[in-house]
Amino acid sequence: MSSVQLSKLESLSQTRVDQARSAAEQQRLELSIMDRQHLELKAINREYQEGVIGKTAIAPQLLAQRRAFVAQLTEKLDMLSVQRQQREQMLKSKLAEQKQHTAQTAAIGSLVEKRQLHEAHIEAKQDQQQLEQSVQGLQHVQKMNAEDDHV
């Protein structure tokens, strides 16, 4: 593969790194939102649970509604905890993917550099060979001219 092709591959690989980074940031944002929602719902749940304690003048129907609400809220909190764990796993996966793409891009960059150095070395060798051939040709012409002058 030529250095130009490797450079294009490196550019594509960098695009994948950027996309993976963006996906990881999106996962972080979603996780942050879930954490905030969980904290807010937990505070509401605690408020409703503690609001009943010590109150003796609550109608049984209202108490039943309140308990049902707390039960639903507790269920929602449990569901959010499970979803958060799933999102956290997804984030870890995205971060691992980003790390892999970054490593691949670095490896490709290294190959590009090595290939460019190799191509420059080959070009320098060719230039050296042409220069040596030119010197040999010039020496041959000078030798021929010197022989012609002696004759």
Side-chain angles (χ1 to χ4, degrees), residues 2 11 63 84:
S2 73
S11 176
L63 188 59
R84 188 198 184 291

Side-chain angles (χ1 to χ4, degrees), residues 26-40 80:
Q26 182 65 31
Q27 288 293 324
R28 274 193 188 108
L29 177 63
E30 290 174 10
L31 195 57
S32 172
I33 290 169
M34 288 184 82
D35 285 343
R36 191 183 76 243
Q37 289 174 343
H38 188 267
L39 287 174
E40 289 170 358
L80 273 175

Side-chain angles (χ1 to χ4, degrees), residues 45-100:
N45 191 18
R46 189 174 29 254
E47 181 181 315
Y48 269 85
Q49 284 178 340
E50 292 172 0
V52 174
I53 299 172
K55 306 261 180 165
T56 56
I58 295 179
Q61 184 180 5
L62 184 59
L63 188 59
Q65 287 176 348
R66 202 172 173 124
R67 285 183 180 153
F69 176 73
V70 168
Q72 286 177 340
L73 202 50
T74 302
E75 226 176 272
K76 177 70 174 173
L77 283 168
D78 292 343
M79 185 180 70
L80 273 175
S81 291
V82 169
Q83 287 177 347
R84 188 198 184 291
Q85 289 172 350
Q86 291 170 342
R87 294 288 174 134
E88 192 169 19
Q89 279 303 110
M90 289 172 60
L91 175 60
K92 288 178 182 178
S93 173
K94 293 292 181 187
L95 290 172
E97 182 182 334
Q98 177 187 349
K99 187 176 181 179
Q100 179 185 3

Side-chain angles (χ1 to χ4, degrees), residues 107-119:
I108 292 170
S110 177
L111 284 174
V112 168
E113 188 176 322
K114 285 180 183 179
R115 185 65 184 174
Q116 287 172 339
L117 287 172
H118 179 71
E119 288 173 358

